[in-house]
Amino acid sequence: MKAIQLEGVAKRFGETRSLDGLTLAVEQGTLFGFLGPNGAGKTTTIRAMLGLVLPDDGSVRVLGHDPGVRGGAIRRQVGVLLESDGLYEGLSAEENLEYHARLHEMPSTVRKERITELLAAFGLVARRRESVRRWSRGMRQKLAIARALLHRPPLVLLDEPFAGLDPAAAVELREALASMVAREGTTLFLTSHDLSHVEKICSAVAVIKAGRIIATGTPSSLLQSSRDIEVEVRGAGLSREILDDMVREGLLVSHSLEHSVARLVCAPHARPRLVTELVRRGVAVEEARTTTTSLEEAFLALVGTREAGA
Amino acid sequence: MRDVLTVLRKEVLEILGNRHSLRGPLVQGAIVFLLTGVIVPRSASMWSDPVAPVLLLQLFPAAIASMIAADAFAGERERRTLETLLATPASEMAIFLGKTLCAVSVALLVSCASLISALLVANLHLGPTSLSPAAGLSVILGSVAAALFTSSLAVAISSRVDVARSAQQMASMAAIAFVFGGATLLRQVESLTPSKLLGIDAVVTGVALTILALSTRGFRRTRLFDQ
């Protein structure tokens, strides 16, 4: 079963089209990254899933329910961290968690145990009775994430979970989230601007731009499809003439050659034939390796490409 | 019902823990207490009319309820906690009722404290002074009715206004109109007794509950973000 399924969802706010036929499916137990530039429609998508925004068109199903009809049932089974941490500054960490645990109708014995467990897991036990007003951004972020996980929801929606965390804490959180998904089968849907984390943690990603999904798949497939591939080739017999010839035949986009190492840029569809074509032209290929591209570069290329093409 | 109590509990904790944003209502509460529980009861003329102390002690605390309730939604929106609250399974009705009941509880507390203080001050200053049981009951039930009225109005305003300060200003104006308008109208009623006041309180409670029901019905999570 799909944890999240959106089909042709459209939403306008006055003259602004926030979602424009958005279609998205997230399998249960997936760690899903939702990427997009500011104003792309990420927050509206999350709000639509929670029943806080009703779409003008299309259908939304979250854990099998329509948020417009059974919003309460969805909100009972979902943990959220929204744009703002949503913490009550006048309350302590414990009181903030206690409030949400009660709203999720957790029995008192389970509640206390779970709150202690999460505060310990996020290293917040020592300051649990302190008003969160005095807390740093990173500590507040951790507490807000703990709150999202409190009632062990089958679906967790996290908007920018790594924001405000120092690198060590971000890695720690990333690992904790990954192990939670593996252990409890939780579906995790997260948006992030820190694509290095998304690349490492997510098994599937989608890129949204101007309310539409412009790419979806695994992070590696996104990398493959997003841009031309750079291949480093080492071997005897490499020459500018051969490479220019390959450019003319459309096998290469560009090249550079230094001693016996060539840096070749080709379209994704030409990559499988590249070595064969070089050998056919008399090059003794010793090594050919695809240079890795970060998801961030792929994301920027995707967003930029679609922008230029729009 | 459990959610109502949960919201009520959180609101009380927030009042105790967030003195900065609720400084206004706390100062207002102190002023009302001083006025109705300490200063006015020293005057013998207040006790010569059986209805005067009842009106004073039940109407003025309603203004505090109004201030607290006005912060309910506009304050949460301003402090950016509202969206997370609305992403929980708590029903609109539970949130409305919990916030309203918190405001009413504070008003009732001030009213009871003022009643006890007023009687102590009067006995110390003016000699033996008392209120009939009907008058005492009218103070308590009347303060609940009046606070319910002003706070349900304030919650309704708060759910439609973005800025807490604007909501509090609007709600304060409504509360002042209610307190002074109500007192003036009640003084027009011939041979008004504390027992008759109880009947009027029942009507006010009915009106307040109707306002609350209507504003809860009109409040939809989606409306807050559909703009």
Side-chain angles (χ1 to χ4, degrees), chain A residues 223-230 253 265-268 293:
Chain A
L223 290 172
Q224 291 284 324
S225 65
S226 64
R227 56 180 296 172
D228 294 332
I229 295 168
E230 194 175 298
V253 175
V265 177
C266 65
T293 309

Side-chain angles (χ1 to χ4, degrees), chain A residues 44-93:
Chain A
T44 306
T45 306
I46 290 181
R47 284 176 177 169
M49 289 180 204
L50 290 167
L52 300 179
V53 155
L54 293 179
D56 300 329
D57 202 7
S59 78
V60 180
R61 309 285 294 178
V62 178
L63 299 171
H65 303 295
D66 178 347
V69 183
R70 302 212 55 209
I74 292 170
R75 289 187 288 272
R76 199 162 287 121
Q77 297 179 74
V78 174
V80 294
L81 164 69
L82 299 170
E83 262 181 322
S84 162
D85 61 36
L87 296 170
Y88 293 98
E89 296 200 329
L91 305 189
S92 69

